Amino acid sequence: MCRTTIPFTDVDVWLVSRYDDVKEGLADARLSSDYANASPAFHAASLAFGSGTVGSRTMLNLDPPDHTRLRRLAASTFTDRRIAQWQTAMGAAAETLLGSLPGKEPVDVLERIAAPLSVEVICTVLGAPPGDSAQLREWGDLIFTADPNLRHLAFEAVESLVAYTSDLIAEKKRHLGTDLMSDLIRASRTPGMLSEDELLATMVGLIVAGYESTIALVGDLFLALLDHPEQHALLRKDISLADAAIEEVLRYDGPQASSFWRFPTTDMEMAGVRIAAHETVLLLVGSAHRDPARYPDPDDFDILRKDKRHLAFGHGIHRCLGAQLARRNARTLLTMTLERFPHMSLAVPRADIVYKPNLIVRGPAFLPLAFDQ
């Protein structure tokens, strides 16, 4: 555990890196997700997601009891039946996208497959028009950037997404359906269940949380397999290992690099270190997954690893609502790709692959692959 200054923020941050400490921190009620508990320095650096009411009312940035109430409402729509329906739609979308690939001509799998599939997931779950996918992708690429040269564009993207979502809610109210947004609109009509501000914030939060992580998971999954040809061959030989491969990727090099910002509500001790109230804390999930005290040979990528339990979808009250949907969609895309293109390969030198400048989500910036028939 150490304290450092994140270069583009000028804010001192406590970094928690060991598995046991990260897991404990994710479930510690003293570590608030609410920006109201952040220090003046944090707010001065404009690090709070969004602005005003919207930025402070997403489930990602709330503590109980408000978080409990909103999460219960959203969770009630993630039934096994509905997830299966969404998975069917995603399978059809994946089949179409894979069918559009031009044979042996290299393509960026993130641009051609992962990004459109991610937007398809969002549009299907929330009931957003598929025709809005290009705009959603543009905003999604900007919102979580850690590039200081793009920060002004990131804030503009948040404002644009908030305005778009507000208009979408207004339109959805006139034509309710069977999607998650319609369910929450119905809940908002019951006094005390969900305010208009909370409805808007919840929708914006779900879009933001789902977009980048879905893209990153696809990139991390394909890259890990290509970096380890023996594991790739093992999976091609026995496709029933797809679930095991996905879980190992989530541990080995998954999309969740860190928790969102956390702020102690009181002076506290973590890993023998004293942290003052309102300081800024990041729980490094990616580092925890390489902790040798938790995993034997943690730097080895082994889809046959016996203990693949991980923190990639969080732990505690903020555990990802869409974890099962993400797993199913990854499995569908992986199995379809291996069946259609069993001999995919990197189309550029491995050293050319770089990662997006992103504090929270880890994934390659581009991934050109050759898909041999």
Side-chain angles (χ1 to χ4, degrees):
M1 182 168 176
C2 67
R3 190 177 186 183
T4 188
T5 300
I6 296 180
F8 78 96
T9 67
D10 294 328
V11 171
D12 288 341
V13 178
W14 286 103
L15 302 178
V16 184
S17 59
R18 293 187 302 192
Y19 182 93
D20 288 343
D21 298 330
V22 170
K23 184 176 181 179
E24 180 181 341
L26 288 170
D28 195 326
R30 296 173 299 174
L31 286 177
S32 171
S33 296
D34 193 333
Y35 293 143
N37 290 307
S39 68
F42 181 90
H43 286 286
S46 300
L47 293 177
F49 165 70
S51 59
T53 302
V54 170
S56 64
R57 301 303 295 177
T58 70
M59 281 189 291
L60 295 174
N61 307 119
L62 285 176
D63 300 327
D66 288 334
H67 173 271
T68 306
R69 172 173 51 84
L70 296 183
R71 184 180 175 89
R72 185 179 295 120
L73 285 173
S76 66
T77 71
F78 280 82
T79 63
D80 289 343
R81 179 180 178 182
R82 182 166 280 178
I83 289 175
Q85 292 173 342
W86 291 336
Q87 182 189 1
T88 299
M90 293 310 98
E95 183 68 31
T96 299
L97 290 168
L98 289 170
S100 70
L101 295 181
K104 294 185 178 181
E105 180 182 339
V107 297
D108 182 352
V109 70
L110 303 183
E111 174 67 24
R112 291 290 296 270
I113 302 294
L117 190 62
S118 178
V119 173
E120 186 76 19
V121 170
I122 292 170
C123 291
T124 299
V125 172
L126 300 186
D132 296 342
S133 60
Q135 185 60 77
L136 287 172
R137 287 168 61 185
E138 181 179 339
W139 293 330
D141 286 338
L142 287 169
I143 284 174
F144 275 138
T145 183
D147 186 339
N149 297 317
L150 298 178
R151 286 186 67 198
H152 67 291
L153 295 178
F155 292 126
E156 291 176 5
V158 171
E159 293 175 355
S160 297
L161 179 58
V162 169
Y164 163 85
T165 307
S166 181
D167 291 342
L168 183 60
I169 290 172
E171 175 62 25
K172 183 67 67 174
K173 285 180 177 180
R174 294 190 287 268
H175 305 285
L176 292 176
T178 59
D179 49 81
L180 185 148
M181 188 179 296
S182 295
D183 287 351
L184 294 184
I185 288 172
R186 293 184 183 98
S188 71
R189 293 172 176 173
T190 301
M193 289 287 284
L194 185 70
S195 71
E196 288 293 318
D197 287 338
E198 289 171 338
L199 173 62
L200 175 58
T202 298
M203 290 298 98
V204 171
L206 289 171
I207 292 172
V208 170
Y211 175 78
E212 190 71 14
S213 59
T214 301
I215 296 175
L217 177 55
V218 173
D220 295 338
L221 179 58
F222 284 5
L223 191 55
L225 290 172
L226 293 173
D227 280 344
H228 301 85
E230 74 290 348
Q231 299 292 305
H232 190 190
L234 184 62
L235 181 58
R236 289 200 309 268
K237 183 178 180 180
D238 184 1
I239 199 63
S240 70
L241 293 173
D243 287 335
I246 291 166
E247 295 306 309
E248 176 65 346
V249 168
L250 288 167
R251 181 207 67 84
Y252 172 78
D253 193 18
Q256 192 67 26
S258 166
S259 69
F260 287 89
W261 307 107
R262 298 292 177 95
F263 316 100
T265 55
T266 183
D267 292 353
M268 61 181 291
E269 185 174 299
M270 286 191 71
V273 176
R274 191 72 174 174
I275 304 176
H278 312 302
E279 291 191 302
T280 306
V281 176
L282 283 177
L283 305 168
L284 303 183
V285 175
S287 175
H289 289 159
R290 297 295 186 95
D291 185 349
R294 171 63 181 83
Y295 301 100
D297 302 313
D299 295 333
D300 291 349
F301 176 66
D302 180 9
I303 65 175
L304 298 180
R305 182 182 294 273
K306 293 182 179 180
D307 185 358
K308 297 185 181 65
R309 289 176 295 174
H310 53 72
L311 304 171
F313 293 114
H315 176 68
I317 65 171
H318 287 284
R319 181 173 171 79
C320 177
L321 278 173
Q324 289 307 108
L325 180 62
R327 284 183 167 105
R328 291 191 184 192
N329 287 336
R331 179 179 62 202
T332 298
L333 179 60
L334 178 60
T335 55
M336 284 184 173
T337 302
L338 291 181
E339 289 169 357
R340 185 185 288 263
F341 303 108
H343 303 295
M344 63 180 180
S345 58
L346 270 176
V348 297
R350 179 61 176 85
D352 290 352
I353 302 299
V354 296
Y355 284 77
K356 289 184 178 181
N358 193 312
L359 282 174
I360 308 298
V361 181
R362 175 175 169 81
F366 56 90
L367 192 60
L369 301 184
F371 289 98
D372 297 337
Q373 296 287 349

